[in-house]
Amino acid sequence: MNLAGALGASALVAALAATLFALGVSTWGVRRRHPGAIAAGRRALYATAALLTLAMGTLAAALLRDDFSLLYVTSVSSRDMETAFKWAALWSGQPGSLLLWTWLIALSLAGVARHLQRALPWARGHAQAVAGAVLAAFLGPLVFLASPFEVAAVTPPDGVGLNPLLVDRAMLIHPPMLLAGLTSTVAPFAIGAAALLAGHVDSSWVRAARPWALASFVVLATGNVLGGWWAYTVLGWGGYWAWDPVENSAILPLLPTIALLHGFAVQERRGMLRLWNLAMAAAAFSLAVFGTFNVRSGLVSSVHSFAQSEIGPYFLGLLAVVILGSVALLAWRSPRLSGPHDFESLLSRETGLIVNNYLLTAIALVILGGTLFPVASELIRGVRVTVSEPFYDQTVGPLLAALLLVAAGGVLLPWRRGAARSLRRRFAAPAVVLAGSAAVLWTAGVRDPFALGGIVCAATLASVTLREYWLGARGARRARGRGVASWPLAVAALFRRDPRRYGGYLVHLGAAVMAVAVVASTAYQQQVRVAIAPGESFEAGRYTLTYERLEGRPGTANGVESDAVATVTVREGGRLLGEMQPGRRFFTNFPDQPMGIVAVRSTWREDLYLFIQGWDEDLVAEFQAFVNPLVIWLWTGAGLLVAGGLLAFGWQRPPPRGAAAGAAGHA
């Protein structure tokens, strides 16, 4: 008997048993108001997480030891792979990625169970029951349909190795980061579902769920940015986001998560948006499950998806259960979901945040509709009509510009209501920035409505955000004396004093910077495609590129048979800037699937992006070059956005212990 296969499979079966026990005993504990039973359910969730950790460790050990008696190891690994890529092979195939997904969910839900023990005692039993149901739903296919511990009838001497598309250092961080972000949406969902089941829908669940929602935002945003960076540096098409159906599935849960964080602020401050926030928590997790289904069903064609398999219909059913269950819970508790307060004025921060959330929802619906449109068209007309980039640019683009503008207005508007004179004073400077930036851009020759509107809205948001930092720092300096604190120290003090507020502003600033970079690199990208012989040159924007030579290099590891690399010198106005070396990589076990080696020269102004399509026997090579303005600012803005989310964690305080009378949960 294969030891790794037996140990891993046993760990999965035991984990399924533990999570079913957690579901049953937590439900019984809630109904009987039995704290001991609820405590036993919590320990069962810990056991599930430990058993799945054992399963992950067993699979990792099998990969590191080249244990090709496991079918999964044979399909994704080989003896010549570097250790780092053997780790990456853990999540490179469908069973392995599903195991990682389930393990991350188990860790999240075990953390929620521990957190609620102190933060929300009345909800812990309900949350543990929800956690048990969710974990059982994901462990089922791992045990019965797609186990990574299936043993081969005959052990081959070597494995197939990684798919060439995955032989990149980004494989070590992007998939686990993105999966961690997607799975983290289960935490606010479980807490919100527990609040509905317990009938306590006031702001107490919001305080318990916020750190989890904030973590989900940070990790999901990081995962999506890393995916764009990977696509940009590997795929050779000159862009970073193609509105691919699986890319869409990755970004969809991020939108209701952002809406949820904004809704939390309104509910805590004014007691409003109870129904909305619970719905957004359910929507984020539902869209994460949709992404799992989309990747594994073969429903849509994508470079990122797994082959069609029998677990696709299973996840479709699970998605239906999550959605219908959430709707049923919301309908059941709807009489309790009306808040104690209503709008006092349309010109209030509440209105700005609600409009912000409506725009986020509209963007999510457009992306979801575009993702599913090919399937709908095939069902209705018998023809699969693909939705491509222009559709998203023309629909999502204006909504994103409006979102930036509304975010700026939301910062300026006061809570509840504001006097007309005060509002005119607050909006005067941003209005000047909006009009002034539009005039400057128009004078500079920017006529594209997409570019003009996007940059103007981003500039307005950036100016409002920077003004808030300036006002806060000025107040801090005046309070301490002008000679006591420098401006940088005064700004840093703002994050110590109110990290939630100023971390959020940094997120806004990062979004504005990213928006400018996206608009510039999309609207003003230059590209050229030429076929030239060694010694010949071509122009790309303001650059002159000379093809010097093409040479081969032997492969060393990871299934690479050889590289073919072209040397290209780059000049600007006769001044030599350096060399670039694009090429093609060939793999031993995938002879018909060579991968491109992209060369990128980045400056603060623009990227020169060079890719070689191929060559003939005379070494006449076909190059494709792109000049992409401001791309480095996209990654810079993303860094600001993520840093703002991380700084906002500083605001989190230890939660209250909660009412002792509710320790066993409420019916």
Side-chain angles (χ1 to χ4, degrees):
M1 178 181 291
N2 180 275
L3 179 59
L7 181 59
S10 299
L12 292 180
V13 172
L16 179 58
T19 198
L20 290 172
F21 176 79
L23 169 60
V25 75
S26 297
T27 303
W28 186 85
V30 168
R31 293 179 64 86
R32 297 290 183 177
R33 299 177 180 269
H34 194 293
I38 293 176
R42 184 181 70 254
R43 288 190 289 269
L45 289 177
Y46 295 165
T48 301
L51 287 164
L52 283 168
T53 302
L54 174 61
M56 283 291 294
T58 301
L59 186 58
L63 285 161
L64 294 173
R65 292 188 298 105
D66 296 324
D67 185 355
F68 299 118
S69 63
L70 295 183
L71 288 175
Y72 182 77
V73 176
T74 302
S75 66
V76 298
S77 185
S78 61
R79 294 188 183 279
D80 77 329
M81 279 172 51
E82 298 173 24
T83 301
F85 284 102
K86 290 181 179 180
W87 279 107
L90 267 171
W91 47 80
S92 65
Q94 182 163 259
S97 72
L98 185 58
L99 176 59
L100 176 63
W101 176 284
T102 309
W103 177 58
L104 291 170
I105 283 185
L107 294 179
S108 294
L109 291 175
V112 167
R114 181 175 177 80
H115 176 63
L116 295 186
Q117 184 182 3
R118 182 176 185 275
L120 222 59
W122 54 262
R124 56 181 179 160
H126 299 89
Q128 290 169 195
V130 172
V134 169
L135 278 169
F138 282 97
L139 276 163
L142 268 175
V143 172
F144 300 110
L145 299 176
S147 173
F149 298 104
E150 185 177 351
V151 178
V154 177
T155 301
D158 201 356
V160 176
L162 277 179
N163 184 306
L165 187 63
L166 306 180
V167 182
D168 187 88
R169 297 294 170 183
M171 183 64 185
L172 304 175
I173 184 171
H174 164 57
M177 183 67 72
L178 186 59
L179 286 176
L182 291 169
T183 55
S184 66
T185 59
V186 74
F189 169 76
I191 299 171
L196 284 168
L197 288 168
H200 284 250
V201 291
D202 57 15
S203 296
S204 57
W205 85 270
V206 170
R207 288 188 290 272
R210 180 189 288 107
W212 298 94
L214 189 55
S216 183
F217 162 73
V218 170
V219 181
L220 253 179
T222 304
N224 275 281
V225 170
L226 287 172
W229 171 73
W230 188 1
Y232 186 69
T233 57
V234 171
L235 296 182
W237 58 288
Y240 42 79
W241 195 266
W243 296 107
D244 177 272
V246 174
E247 291 176 350
N248 294 350
S249 298
I251 202 172
L252 276 170
L254 182 61
L255 299 170
T257 300
I258 297 172
L260 181 63
L261 288 167
H262 287 92
F264 279 169
V266 178
Q267 184 170 346
E268 276 202 303
R269 187 72 177 246
R270 302 281 290 132
M272 302 161 62
L273 300 187
R274 291 180 175 183
L275 173 61
W276 177 269
N277 289 334
L278 289 162
M280 287 299 100
F285 180 60
S286 297
L287 288 171
V289 176
F290 168 76
T292 304
F293 159 70
N294 203 16
V295 170
R296 292 171 171 83
S297 64
L299 184 70
V300 295
S301 177
S302 168
V303 68
H304 305 283
S305 60
F306 298 111
Q308 185 172 358
S309 69
E310 59 184 349
I311 66 173
Y314 174 87
F315 280 109
L316 179 60
L318 176 59
L319 175 61
V321 169
V322 172
I323 294 173
L324 294 176
S326 300
V327 171
L329 275 176
L330 290 169
W332 176 42
R333 293 301 191 187
S334 57
R336 303 188 183 190
L337 294 177
S338 58
H341 303 291
D342 206 345
F343 289 105
E344 296 186 23
S345 171
L346 288 177
L347 294 176
S348 64
R349 185 163 296 187
E350 298 95 299
T351 302
L353 290 171
I354 289 170
V355 173
N356 175 89
N357 284 2
Y358 284 164
L359 286 170
L360 286 165
T361 304
I363 293 168
L365 290 173
V366 169
I367 295 174
L368 181 62
T371 303
L372 293 177
F373 186 81
V375 180
S377 66
E378 188 172 22
L379 289 174
I380 296 171
R381 299 177 55 193
V383 178
R384 181 169 286 239
V385 179
T386 302
V387 176
S388 57
E389 285 185 69
F391 165 79
Y392 293 104
D393 291 343
Q394 295 167 18
T395 54
V396 177
L399 291 172
L400 287 172
L403 184 66
L404 295 172
L405 206 56
V406 169
V411 172
L412 296 169
L413 288 167
W415 290 101
R416 299 179 64 179
R417 66 166 69 91
R421 183 176 180 181
S422 173
L423 290 175
R424 283 196 297 269
R425 187 177 67 253
R426 290 187 181 200
F427 278 87
V432 170
V433 171
L434 190 150
S437 58
V440 169
L441 290 169
W442 185 269
T443 304
V446 178
R447 299 290 189 271
D448 184 286
F450 163 73
L452 186 63
I455 295 175
V456 165
C457 293
T460 304
L461 176 58
S463 68
V464 167
T465 305
L466 292 172
R467 182 173 179 269
E468 290 297 312
Y469 282 120
W470 176 73
L471 290 172
R474 186 183 65 176
R477 295 188 78 210
R478 285 178 175 176
R480 299 180 60 185
R482 183 173 296 274
V484 175
S486 65
W487 281 101
L489 289 176
V491 172
L494 297 178
F495 291 101
R496 292 194 298 271
R497 188 180 71 196
D498 193 350
R500 178 186 173 188
R501 176 183 179 184
Y502 291 100
Y505 288 161
L506 193 59
V507 171
H508 286 183
L509 185 60
V513 173
M514 290 179 72
V516 172
V518 168
V519 169
S521 61
T522 302
Y524 298 103
Q525 182 189 67
Q526 302 174 63
Q527 60 176 298
V528 60
R529 190 166 182 165
V530 298
I532 57 175
E536 296 180 340
S537 303
F538 67 97
E539 305 291 328
R542 58 197 178 95
Y543 302 101
T544 301
L545 292 89
T546 303
Y547 170 30
E548 302 291 349
R549 60 189 177 274
L550 181 71
E551 55 190 354
R553 299 174 182 173
T556 56
N558 305 315
V560 178
E561 181 179 8
S562 63
D563 291 343
V565 177
T567 299
V568 178
T569 55
V570 182
R571 289 178 170 83
E572 180 187 1
R575 181 168 62 94
L576 179 64
L577 300 180
E579 292 183 347
M580 300 179 70
Q581 292 189 317
R584 305 286 282 176
R585 177 161 291 158
F586 300 90
F587 292 81
T588 304
N589 291 339
F590 300 87
D592 299 325
Q593 198 175 340
M595 290 300 299
I597 302 173
V598 178
V600 182
R601 183 182 183 275
S602 295
T603 67
W604 292 107
R605 175 178 177 178
E606 62 197 7
D607 280 9
L608 176 60
Y609 184 104
L610 189 59
F611 182 75
I612 185 169
Q613 298 285 350
W615 54 87
D616 62 17
E617 62 276 7
D618 297 321
L619 301 185
V620 174
E622 185 176 6
F623 291 95
Q624 190 163 10
F626 300 84
V627 179
N628 297 325
L630 304 185
V631 170
I632 197 169
W633 290 100
L634 175 63
W635 318 127
T636 303
L640 291 174
L641 184 143
V642 171
L646 291 172
L647 286 169
F649 271 108
W651 178 82
Q652 306 299 331
R653 298 189 181 98
R657 290 185 175 276
H666 293 268

